[in-house]
Structure formats: C-alpha cells, structure tokens
Amino acid sequence: GQQPAPASVTIEIDNNPIAEIEDVLATIEDPQQTIWDVRSAEEYFGLRQAAARVGHIPGAVNLDWERLKDPERHMRLRTDLEEVLAGLGLNDDKVIITHCQSHHRSGLSYMVGRLLGLNIRAYHGSWSEWGNRQDTPIELAAS
C-alpha cells in the first residue's frame, strides 16, 4: 500500500468552554452570571464530605445531574429540561458556569446547556479544587 504523504497541521485549542477559578469568583457578585452545581443535595448542603471543606459556592443553584435523566425513557434526557432549568434561573438571560466534584457529572450539564443554547462554561476544577482551598468562599445554607 501507499504511505500517506506527511502533512503540516496547525492546532488551536479553544478555551472558551472552560471556566477557571477566577471566572467562578467573578460570578459571585455578578447578577448576570450564575453557578449551576450538579452535585447531590447532600453534597450541596454540606451533609456529605468529599473535600477538605463542605458546602457550595455562594449563590450557586443546585440541580443534581441525575435529575437531568428520565428513568421512564431509559435515562434519556428529560423532555422538560428547558422549563426545569428556567425555573432555577438557568436560562439564556444568564452566563452560566456548571461544576460538580471532578467535572464528570458536570460534563452532562454542560452538554445539556449547549443543546439548549445556553451561554454555559464548565468549571473543570470543580469542588475538588474549590473545596480543598482555604481562600474560596463557601455557603452551607440554601441561597
């Protein structure tokens, strides 16, 4: 067989979908932005510990990633997600950053946000970064 000819390839990485800790800190006082925490309610309220500190990012809204899936439809995405998210203030009026513990569960919420046309980014450091630092603000009670 013929060998393919060598080619020169230029790759550019688009970091726009990624939120870093500085981006998350900037959302806390900004009413145009919101944090979507897709961990369990137990993690959100600090009842289950998976980092040095427990709780949630101030102002974050919680919708467990499991609630994005419809058990009646073989765990496909729920058909009413746009309404459910809008009810939490997660709509196209906001800039949204989603996270979980290690950005595995929030991979799904990021995809859902993109499918719904939301302005969403993923905080890949997630709670494993936020909750293990001593200089990040945390809430325990409901926002």
Side-chain angles (χ1 to χ4, degrees):
Q2 257 187 334
Q3 290 294 319
S8 177
V9 177
T10 303
I11 297 174
E12 289 184 39
I13 296 175
D14 180 6
N15 288 323
N16 287 326
I18 299 171
E20 300 292 355
I21 197 164
E22 297 79 16
D23 302 312
V24 179
L25 284 164
T27 69
I28 293 173
E29 301 298 327
D30 184 349
Q32 299 306 311
Q33 299 190 69
T34 193
I35 303 292
W36 176 11
D37 184 333
V38 298
R39 297 176 302 154
S40 67
E42 292 79 13
E43 290 168 286
Y44 178 83
F45 288 115
L47 304 173
R48 180 169 163 250
Q49 186 162 1
R53 298 187 302 152
V54 298
H56 58 268
I57 297 168
V61 297
N62 179 233
L63 180 65
D64 189 326
W65 81 299
E66 294 285 4
R67 293 185 54 205
L68 303 176
K69 301 177 277 185
D70 184 351
E72 301 296 316
R73 297 176 58 243
H74 306 287
M75 304 312 273
R76 291 183 179 96
L77 293 177
R78 289 171 53 168
T79 57
D80 62 347
L81 281 176
E82 193 164 11
E83 295 80 21
V84 170
L85 295 180
L88 293 171
L90 299 168
N91 55 39
D92 55 12
D93 293 342
K94 299 278 186 167
V95 175
I96 301 164
I97 296 176
T98 187
H99 81 90
C100 60
Q101 175 68 32
S102 59
H103 188 46
H104 286 85
R105 293 174 279 180
S106 54
L108 180 62
S109 55
Y110 172 77
M111 184 191 77
V112 164
R114 290 295 303 264
L115 289 170
L116 295 175
L118 302 178
N119 184 351
I120 190 166
R121 290 185 293 165
Y123 172 35
H124 60 144
S126 280
W127 195 258
S128 59
E129 178 178 48
W130 195 273
N132 282 314
R133 289 178 60 142
Q134 297 303 314
D135 61 345
T136 47
I138 287 178
E139 279 181 351
L140 281 172
S143 302

